[in-house]
Amino acid sequence: MTGDLLAGLSAPSAEALADGAVLLRGFAAADAPALLGEIRQITEQAPFRQLITPGGFRMSVAMTNCGAVGWISDRRGYHYGADDPETGRPWPAMPPLFRELADRAAAAAGFPGFEPEACLINRYAPGARLTLHQDRDEGNLSHPIVSVSLGVPATFLFGGLDRKDKPRRVRVEHGDVAVWGGPSRLAFHGIDTMKPGHHDQTGEWRYNLTFRKAL
Ligand code: MD3
Ligand code: FE
């Protein structure tokens, strides 16, 4: 019951992708309808928008945030901030269900006491993609990132610590949760171009929640 899944036997659905990276298939499936309801409420306050990269490109993935701070890209760079630049208001609070799920998943992967301040919410339409990148804008890289996939399936690209390392392709589906910590925290990763699909709970979209200890 210690959540020591890398040792092996306590949860058959836990798949070690790499040192510190654990895929928990279906971990959030039962919570998905409630998570999607929370996303709907969050986006009434902080709508999805396609951010501009520092290089001047519009991202194909639409994003918003909840929590004490949110991740933002603009012409000046990437950063975390307390206010939604679109509305000037604080990001919506992180729902208790989000916090509890993130902490449960992190603990199941061997990272107890995960208390993220930020949740980036990504929405993928057919054709959207996220090119290989590292998540390194967080103040404390000793904590993992927890990601929750909802809706239409996608292909994770999971590379190494060097951009040139050939990424593994891992299919992720509705309800899958991944935890990226330890030596995998700075691995290059992305999402391959989304194929058209349909999911009963999300229609044509894929959603991803990434929980981050940002401060
Ligand atoms: C591997 N999101 O928002 S989550 C992102 O599905 C992001 O929306 C993708 O990458 C998505 O930054 C992928 C999977 C993921 C997240 C963080 C990682 C993989 C990771 C951090 C280190 C290594
Ligand atoms: Fe990322």
Side-chain angles (χ1 to χ4, degrees):
M1 298 299 282
T2 60
D4 187 12
L5 298 178
L6 295 172
L9 302 173
S10 58
S13 64
E15 191 180 316
L17 294 174
D19 199 2
V22 181
L23 183 55
L24 304 164
R25 297 236 181 239
F27 193 88
D31 290 318
L35 295 169
L36 291 163
E38 297 286 5
I39 292 171
R40 179 183 307 259
Q41 289 196 52
I42 288 163
T43 55
E44 283 170 12
Q45 308 303 315
F48 281 112
R49 81 292 305 263
Q50 288 173 260
L51 298 170
I52 306 297
T53 66
F57 296 99
R58 182 176 297 273
M59 297 180 74
S60 60
V61 181
M63 299 181 171
T64 188
N65 292 276
C66 66
V69 293
W71 185 84
I72 284 294
S73 173
D74 60 25
R75 288 307 302 246
R76 297 189 310 266
Y78 307 130
H79 67 274
Y80 283 91
D83 296 332
D84 178 352
E86 205 74 20
T87 63
R89 295 193 305 263
W91 295 106
M94 197 183 295
L97 173 62
F98 280 30
R99 297 181 182 290
E100 288 157 16
L101 174 64
D103 183 54
R104 247 191 303 132
F111 300 94
F114 182 52
E115 294 185 6
E117 300 92 4
C119 176
L120 174 62
I121 307 172
N122 294 333
R123 188 187 67 188
Y124 294 78
R129 62 198 281 263
L130 198 59
T131 56
L132 274 190
H133 66 278
Q134 292 171 297
D135 292 6
R136 53 187 312 162
D137 305 318
E138 297 72 30
N140 189 336
L141 299 174
S142 71
H143 295 271
I145 288 181
V146 172
S147 80
V148 179
S149 293
L150 297 169
V152 175
T155 301
F156 268 166
L157 306 172
F158 179 48
L161 295 177
D162 192 321
R163 188 184 289 278
K164 299 191 302 293
D165 295 338
K166 183 182 163 67
R168 282 178 58 185
R169 300 171 60 84
V170 182
R171 185 172 165 87
V172 286
E173 297 185 354
H174 181 76
D176 291 350
V177 177
V179 180
W180 316 88
S184 292
R185 176 63 181 78
L186 285 177
F188 279 88
H189 61 278
I191 293 289
D192 199 3
T193 307
M194 290 291 298
K195 295 197 178 71
H198 182 271
H199 189 280
D200 283 345
Q201 292 179 33
T202 68
E204 67 176 324
W205 311 104
R206 170 179 187 260
Y207 297 92
N208 182 265
L209 310 174
T210 51
F211 294 94
R212 296 127 185 276
K213 186 91 185 144
L215 303 177

